[in-house]
Amino acid sequence: MIKVTRKLYYEDAYLKEAKAKVLEIKENALLLDGTIFYPTGGGQPHDRGTISGVEVLDVYKEEGGNVWHVVAEPEKFKPGDKVELRLDWDYRYRLMRIHSAMHLLEHVLNEVLPGEWRLYGSGMSAEKGRYDITYPENVNGWKEQIIETFNRLVDEGGEMKIWWEGETRYTQIRDFEVIPCGGTHVRDIKEIEHLRKFKRSSLGKGKQRLEIWLED
């Protein structure tokens, strides 16, 4: 029986390279005994990079927990091969910063907005993060305060704690909200850097889209 892929990205999100063994090949996808490639999930896109110099096109996780790597040239591999994994680190690190920024934004909205707001959708890329929320007032009324509070907290810094309780993985910035999340994150929120842009747009009937971009 094939063991579940060892998820090295959870053991150390800052691993850029690793070695692994090919366990199985299914069409154009490789199953490895361990991986540094984060699969698409929880709103976070899959990692990019190479396996022994071959481009990784997609990474996905099966229900049982195994992680499959869709590669450009699967014919170059066979079961039992020892391979070298290399992340597109710049891309991954941008995702880590954006994902962590979304968690910080949740705290900032809780701190700044009067009354209750509700999240009903979210998304992220290496370029920006998005929250779709319901809130009765136009969030632009607090735009400057949101930006100022976010940037102040980044300057102060703080550990991004991560732990498991059973099958659920949790994150917490400093002593802020505890958020269940399976994504990759920075160690300290200073790494997020300042907001470069905050944009609010209406989605109708109290629904609003909030988008953020970070400084490079």
Side-chain angles (χ1 to χ4, degrees), residues 68-101:
W68 290 85
H69 309 72
V70 178
V71 293
E73 300 169 280
E75 66 277 4
K76 289 191 172 182
F77 302 93
K78 63 183 185 299
D81 282 353
K82 299 290 179 63
V83 293
E84 295 187 359
L85 318 182
R86 182 170 294 177
L87 282 184
D88 178 339
W89 175 247
D90 180 66
Y91 179 75
R92 153 70 84 78
Y93 192 54
R94 284 174 176 271
L95 290 172
M96 286 167 61
R97 289 174 56 223
I98 284 283
H99 204 152
S100 302

Side-chain angles (χ1 to χ4, degrees), residues 10-48:
Y10 279 157
E11 296 177 22
D12 182 359
Y14 288 77
L15 271 179
K16 303 174 182 67
E17 299 179 9
K19 297 183 185 298
K21 184 171 78 171
V22 178
L23 298 177
E24 188 180 338
I25 301 174
K26 183 171 62 178
E27 296 177 351
N28 59 346
L30 310 180
L31 177 63
L32 310 177
D33 63 350
T35 187
I36 55 177
F37 287 89
Y38 184 85
T40 300
Q44 182 171 325
H46 67 82
D47 284 326
R48 299 173 181 172

Side-chain angles (χ1 to χ4, degrees), residues 2 4 23 47 82 94 122 130 133 136 163 193 201-202:
I2 295 173
V4 174
L23 298 177
D47 284 326
K82 299 290 179 63
R94 284 174 176 271
S122 65
R130 167 182 61 82
I133 71 169
W163 70 96
E193 299 192 29
S201 52
S202 174

